[in-house]
Amino acid sequence: MNNKKKVIGVCVTKIHDQGHSDLVNQLHYHAQLNDYKLLIFNSFVDFYNNDRFDEGAKSIYDIINFDIVDALVILDECFFNKDIVKNIISRAKEKSVPVITVDAEYDGCFSIIANIRNSYKEIIRHVICDHGAKDTFYIAGLKYNDPSSVERIDCYKEALEECGLEFNDSMVAYGEYWDGPARKIVGDLIRSGNKIPQAIFCANDYMAFAACEELSAHGYKVPDDVIVVGFDGVTKNTYFSPQLTTCIKNVDMISKLCVETTEKALNENYEPTKVLCDFSAYYSESCGCGKLSNDDYRRAAQELYTTFDEITSHEDFMQSWRDRVLEINDMNTLFNVISGSILEESYVCINSDFLASAMDIGPESKKSGYSDEVVVISSRYTYTNSDSTEKLSIKDIIPNLNQWYNDNTTYILNAIYVGNEVCGYYAVKSDYIFNCRNKIKRVLNTLNVAFNVAINHFREVKMSKRIEAASLTNPVTGLPNLKGTAKWFEEFSQKAESHDMALSISVYGLPKYTYIMENYGIHDVEDALRFVAESLKISNPVDCFIGHISEDEFAIINYYKEMGAIGDTINKATSVFFSVIEGYNTTSGKEYYVEVNCGCTVINPGWGGSLESFIKFANSEMYMNRLKSGTGNVIKEETTPKEHYKAFDLLIEKNLFNYHFQPIVNAKTGTIFGYEALMRTDASIGMTPLEVLATAREYNRLYEIERATMFNIMERYAHEPEKFGDCKVFINTIPGHFLNDDDMRILNEKYSQYMDKFVFELTEQDTISDNELNAIKRLSGEHVENQIAIDDYGTGHSNIVNLIRYTPQIIKIDRFLISEIDRNQNKQMFVRSTIEFAKINNIKVLAEGVETSNELKMVIDLGVDLIQGFYTGRPAYEPITSINEDIRKEILRANPLYGQDI
């Protein structure tokens, strides 16, 4: 409880509504007379939709501090969602703060109930008895779950009975409180061919306005032909012709009773009571009891003109700031828009965690609720001296709280939110609520749009940074990849002092990488890579740079001010490293050794040149060291391209290729989306696909592989298309060796009718020319674009650049990123970022190399579209028509919409 003036908190919605603003304005007036302060918590939605936007809007009631607020007034009829009211009341009771509810009764609360019965029945009797309207009709509100509608119909029934008239259900229709249904009801009455009623009573003024307009459209005059009566006394009635006879809430008396009840409620011995406040009957033109003079209309017109002029002026002002909203790209422009667009004597209080998140120095901001501290931005049009600081405790609610206790103003507080994400709140200080109510709404709309634009911009920037960071990092070891290493070296090279130092570039390679992969699988390879990475960190100086520059190679960059330190540093590092590796091989229990070779080159001070050339020097040293150390056995296990050449020549000459087809599965339905065609060779050839490609590369015959692949796979499809159904066939291409013009023409002539069934895979690690890319896309003709998939995505050197350049329809995420993804947050982060980017750009994402149930569930949870791997289906000569039923059901259960009708 404060020691200054007592504070009455007021919970309201849609304060711009005439009835609500009138009541709050009068409440402010009576509060001042009795030395109270008013603190108004407002939302411009009434929580009818109960959606995520309502979640954001209702947060304004969460900042009510019952150590500042002495009593609470709740305008219950403003809230469609009564759970919000109940929650506010519950919190107030916990703090022993009395609550006064208007137009509703709640346990333990004081209540002021507007009583409609006397005045409403008086108007109905007046129309029936004094104007002789015996034939009447009633347009009610909602048909179901609407106590107000029931009460007004009851008043109509009772008045009929008191006038000696009978009631039947055909005399009532439900207009739902708005003009569309009311207009239809009146039109149906006219078109029915029956005599039009002498009087139409409406449950609110807006339906009455619609009734008058519909009657006039059909040539009926009000009140000469039909009397129309409204209810509510809304502002529009002042300017409407004919002005309605209606029932008006006694706003002044209700406001006065709220303050008087507050006085009683703050007396601890006073028990909660209910007070009734009668509506007032207002007789006017629509029943024939009043006639406005020209002077009345002129005054009304002047009021309307003044209001319209103020609206236009402020709307023009706000529009100029809305235009600037679209330019928001940092905190400075956001703050500039805020300070320039808000009203004089108003403040925007921004969640500090939102700011930290937006500036990328903290976690994502909360989805709902306020931080303990807010940052205050003042209006640039506030000319009075202010001692408000840049930061404010949420408990204080408003800036300059102590000063506010001593002036004659009130504060209107409104949440600023984007969906259910709360950004802060807008606090407006005013001594006349009626004048600023609509301005506040326009300003708040602009603020919400501004924060929406800002949040989307900041998130796009963050997502780009995450994707960029992921593209610079090897997901298995967490070390910078080749691109990340090149970026570090470029920045290092730009410093003049770097060239005064000597460098050593060491390269460590795993010669048995392919052997371990093919014989023991990807998990063992990744374990070996991670172990080598950790060993390199242990054995090298803390200030060196370590990069994972290819699948099986690492680079260490040391820099020295003293040339004499180079030998000791390298010798110590290699000694420790190989000691650790030897210990691992002795105790690991693996069936193989993790072998590592090392090469190093030293660059003297004053150096120049590229990182690529330095690494090549180190690689040459590593190769020579491998030979000198007698580790030829590492290579001996594989047959060299030279020894394969005869078999390779026979393979090409006799076209002894065959192809197996691995299913690609829809991640939502478990059905087969397509197949990847995988090269195999005849048993007589005895070469693996990798050996075929290595030999072709060695002897510059990759084009022949490319040609055979294209023609063979398409011929297989054309020969038996029924085996593939409507599924796509994915074909691997070799960048730099795509078909020449003559072969493309022949291919298109033979298989053009099937071309839309093929997806062409481009390896993301390799480079493809623009001409070649265009040739692949236009293989079916100038006006037909073939589908493109980027293969092995996540292992190349320019992920984002290639995505933008290739504009693929499908991204195939490399199996390195998918293996054990359920246990690796770095991999999850990269894949999630890739999927977010892909969805924005309408690209499907395929997870390659799914080998376990946990990997399957994780990639589905992350949102991939397609799945490929041994777990869902192995390659087979005959394409399978469906995957294992248990696996298909597992896919369905893993989807978030499982069990719902989709």
Side-chain angles (χ1 to χ4, degrees), residues 782-798:
E782 185 62 32
H783 303 294
V784 180
E785 186 165 306
N786 290 102
Q787 291 200 6
I788 298 292
I790 289 187
D791 195 15
D792 299 335
Y793 183 77
T795 61
H797 311 322
S798 54

Side-chain angles (χ1 to χ4, degrees), residues 640-659:
T640 64
K642 189 172 183 178
E643 294 168 321
H644 273 315
Y645 189 73
K646 288 184 180 180
F648 174 84
D649 204 38
L650 181 64
L651 171 70
I652 297 295
E653 181 183 348
K654 301 297 185 182
N655 194 16
L656 296 176
F657 295 95
N658 61 60
Y659 299 88

Side-chain angles (χ1 to χ4, degrees), residues 353 355-365 462:
D353 59 354
L355 292 175
S357 171
M359 291 186 289
D360 210 12
I361 58 175
E364 289 289 341
S365 59
K462 274 189 159 185

Side-chain angles (χ1 to χ4, degrees), residues 418-432:
V418 177
N420 64 335
E421 185 167 347
V422 180
C423 306
Y425 57 94
Y426 179 40
V428 181
K429 190 159 94 168
S430 175
D431 59 0
Y432 190 43

Side-chain angles (χ1 to χ4, degrees), residues 2 24 42 76 127 207 257 470 499 509 590 668 771 775 846 872:
N2 65 75
V24 174
N42 173 63
D76 181 80
V127 171
M207 293 193 295
L257 287 171
H499 296 268
K590 301 285 186 182
K668 290 185 174 58
N771 289 339
L846 185 155
T872 51

